[in-house]
Amino acid sequence: MGLTVGMTACFLIFLYIRFELSYDSFHSKADRIYRIVCDIKTPTEVIKAGGPSWAVPPNVKDEFPEIESFVRLSNTGILVRKGDAKFQEEHSMWADSSIFHVFDFRLLKGNPKTALRDELCVVFSETAAKKYFGKSNPIGQTLLLFGEGLPARVTGIMKDIPENSHIKADMLLSMSTLTKRFNPDLDGQWGNYGASAYLLLKPGSNPKALQAKFPAFLEKRNGKEMKQSQMYATLTLEPLQDVYLRSTRDGKNTGNITNVYIFSVVATFILMIACINFINLTTARSSERAKEVGIRKVVGAARTQLARQFIGESVIICIIAFLLAVILSSLLLPLFNQLAGKTVSQGIFQNARYVLMLFLAAIGIGLLAGIYPALVLSSFKPVVVLKGRFATGTRGIILRKGLVVAQFSISVALIIGTIVVYDQMNFMRNRALGFRKDLMLVMNTDGDPGTEAFKQAIKGIPAVKSTSLSSSVPGSGNPGAYSEIENKKGDLQIANLDLYFVDFNYIDQFKIKVLAGRGFSRDFLTDTTQAMVLNEAAVKMFGYSSPQEAIGRRFKQWGREGKIIGVIKDFHFRALQEPIKPLSMRIEQRTNLVSANVSAANMTATLASIEAKWKTLIPNRPFSYFFLDEFFNKQYRDEERFGKLFLNFAILAIFISCLGLLGLASYSTMQRTKEIGIRKVMGASVRGIINLLSNEFLTLVILSFFIAMPIAWYFMHAWLQDFAYRTEIGWWVFVLAGSIAVLIAVFTVSFQAIKAAIANPVKSLRTE
Amino acid sequence: MIKIAELEKIYRTEEVETVALNKLSFEVKEGEFVAVMGPSGCGKSTLLNIVGLLDDPDKGSFLFNGIEVADFNERKRADLRKRNIGFVFQSFNLIDELTVFENVELPLIYLGVKAPERKKRVEAVLDKMQIMHRRNHYPQQLSGGQQQRVAVARAVVNKPKLILADEPTGNLDSSNGNEVMQLLTDLNEQGTTIIMVTHSEHDARYSHRIIRMLDGQTVTENILV
């Protein structure tokens, strides 16, 4: 049973790991595709960008013959209208027409060579096409894009992009729309970023050598500009298959190789625990079968025949366990998919190769687990055994105890891991973020002309306490701006500052604390055009030792010039994995996020009246909203999932370990029945006997605890390094984990111990 | 010291009912040495277990030192047992994992005797049984006679008023058997009451009185002294 559970768990984790590792491997040219990423060095910092400037991909393609093709992809959210239906299509992407050449995204309808060649062409995924067109043929139909309603033609339907692709889109728009119609010199902009880029190299070309040629190339084409802006770019090639798991440039959306490693270790552990159990119980039971061996030997069985019999039995048991595990896995798979948050596998039989591998592993376990008992049992001397003077060797006991210690070490380590993960989750959820996130309703108007009027209108709703308009809210992402700020020495220092466009009410509404100077105010006419507020981190970056010192200093940013009027306390505008970065705030009228602080009572009615205003003032867009607290915490979804998976597997490991402990305890008590009887006759109390038996195992559990502690500490410490703000692994974590382990062990063992202790000693002594 | 009246004990399994003791009555006075004899399955061992407070009767009365103990619960019986009764078994029943010294020490630990006092008393009794030189050996390293001497030492170390011996010589050769019987006789002469179950007429002759049993009842009583 333990073996079945162990195999099931291992199998599921294995599918998960395989899935994580399979990202982007379905492209037939995967080994020749590289993503270009870019480090931009300013005098102040190094920005790790996910892609190069717009000009880089077309120009490197022209320059270097080893590049066969390039694709630029740029995520966007687009308002799509078809007749009266309105959709805000969030999974849409600008793409160069070469996308179908470089990647294996298959077109079901349309010509892959031309689908995205012309301006205003759209390719939908199968699912999205159904959403828009139902059963009718979408090819050639027209849709209206953006608020202004640009007509676009559907030129292709592609098969849905598989789950294990780091590029995800339901709607592709031709890049030429961007580079020819909207921004005609985009292909020549060396300082404008915003797309990710992939290069397809010709077979046999060396990416290292190519990368080495980039600095000289950039110097030649862009050197002057870089010197002028003091922003120096370095290009690096990332193999496509490393992007999902190993690249750190995409923030939260991708996998994490550490997690894959952790789960591999967990899977191995669980399987190990299960095998240990199996070996343990088989050997423990071997003494019961001693008599059988004796008789078989007397009637003429040779040692090898016996050994074969025992190994055979163990293999058969493993195969049964394997069959059960396969059934259990297929039953649990939907649940596991849900837990993992993605369809790791449609059904286990789609992974026939892995089923086969597990099968072979099962046989392997059977052989391994069978060998030891086979050797021990087959070596019994029949005369001794049949006389009943059979004593189990201390060697076997030590081995079994060692195995139990190993099991419990693993379990305790997993318990500690679970506690740390949950503690960190708690820490992140409860940490004071430095801004108000409760009862904050946020709506994205996408810059609709009706935005300002809408904001004014909902101000009139009684349940709306205050409103504000901004380009960003915490957790939403924000632009970085090329900025020059006067530093302590009085020079203008270049930096890439995160930028929030806000209105006069923003700082008050979000309860962000002003440390020095003042927030924006309508009383100062210049505030709309010549004022900037910095956060503490920014002030520190420019060398000021106190917020006060920064007040009144000069700034230049995106065409504006003026003075720093205030310094705000640092607040977490990104998830807690990231440190608080230097941030600037400026007043800007045309922004897209309306946030409203609402009262908790009667939320449905409030939402209904807000929606009514939206429908009259922003009729072209579907109404959508989110609550800031939920939105912000969504950033921890992956961690939450990780925690849940971890918890489940920890429980599993403990469960299997307990089965083992139970087996060993009952075996050991059985062995000591006589001793217990004697002790009772001598006057031992029931409690004394229970203590005697429990202590034996408690010592083992406590020993495991001390083995597990440093190991767990090491791994969880490494895991926590992903978080800029993290809890300490306090001593209480170990105490708690230890107590849990001890409690579970006591519970498991005491059942046997109590049974043995209350048994009538007369019976045990009569077994002579 | 022991007065048993109309004692009954029936063992039941799902199908079979075995009457082990059938309205058995007898008495043992302080300082007596009584041998109980009878064929296998006549109820000797059951009787010994009940007298030793290891088992309780189904019916009847059992006065131990004038106190009715037939309806004592497990804890009270255990308490009475560890203060008053010592056991010697046919198969010695020593704990293999403990040394000679530790085996003999066991009853004193359960009585709550302090360590220095325990040491003194264990050494005294080991000396008396002439196995002092084996004190750090394990039971498996001793001969049968030596093991039984350890068992006797363990039975007397807490100076019980009553010693129950279940075929003490059953696993011993005759010279070792005689030695053990001599030990028991000596103990009896020093005032300890002894009840011994045996198959051996030879051993039975060491006692004052022989109770013969059959099918859970006493058949005859021979007074030897």
Side-chain angles (χ1 to χ4, degrees), chain A residues 7 17 20 34 70 131 195 204 244-245 258 279 304 328 440 485 487 498 669 696 736:
Chain A
M7 278 189 189
I17 292 169
E20 291 288 293
Y34 292 85
F70 73 90
K131 184 171 87 179
Y244 175 73
L245 280 178
T258 319
I279 297 175
T304 46
L328 204 60
M440 199 65 85
I485 311 282
N487 62 18
D498 279 337
T669 0
E696 179 188 347
L736 183 61

Side-chain angles (χ1 to χ4, degrees), chain A residues 344-524:
Chain A
V344 165
S345 168
Q346 305 282 350
I348 53 162
F349 295 106
Q350 292 200 329
N351 308 86
R353 227 174 66 224
Y354 302 109
V355 177
L356 188 73
M357 266 167 67
L358 189 72
F359 178 71
L360 293 178
I363 293 180
I365 294 166
L367 286 174
L368 216 66
I371 284 173
Y372 179 76
L375 289 181
V376 175
L377 278 171
S378 59
S379 68
F380 288 156
K381 301 222 165 33
V383 181
V384 179
V385 171
L386 287 181
K387 267 192 176 164
R389 300 240 327 243
F390 169 78
T392 36
T394 47
R395 211 167 40 119
I397 290 170
I398 288 169
L399 175 81
R400 280 198 296 277
K401 283 187 174 174
L403 292 176
V404 165
V405 169
Q407 282 185 324
F408 261 80
S409 303
I410 294 167
S411 301
V412 171
L414 287 174
I415 297 177
I416 294 175
T418 310
I419 296 174
V420 171
V421 172
Y422 273 78
D423 187 38
Q424 174 66 17
M425 297 298 305
N426 241 339
F427 172 82
M428 291 196 293
R429 277 203 215 94
N430 296 334
R431 187 179 160 95
L433 296 169
F435 64 90
R436 171 158 69 189
K437 65 172 179 172
D438 297 325
L439 293 169
M440 199 65 85
L441 191 68
V442 184
M443 290 147 288
N444 188 353
T445 68
D446 227 13
D448 192 277
T451 305
E452 179 64 29
F454 171 68
K455 189 193 96 172
Q456 293 301 338
I458 61 171
K459 225 186 221 173
I461 298 169
V464 175
K465 291 186 204 154
S466 68
T467 58
S468 165
L469 197 53
S470 61
S471 62
S472 307
V473 292
S476 75
N478 54 275
Y482 178 83
S483 320
E484 293 171 74
I485 311 282
E486 184 181 347
N487 62 18
K488 193 165 184 187
K489 284 184 244 154
D491 308 326
L492 281 179
Q493 184 178 335
I494 292 167
N496 185 71
L497 276 183
D498 279 337
L499 174 61
Y500 266 40
F501 287 127
V502 298
D503 66 1
F504 290 109
N505 207 16
Y506 191 87
I507 291 176
D508 277 350
Q509 161 147 325
F510 283 85
K511 286 199 170 147
I512 297 163
K513 214 169 153 197
V514 178
L515 293 178
R518 57 183 178 83
F520 299 109
S521 161
R522 287 197 177 80
D523 301 341
F524 297 83

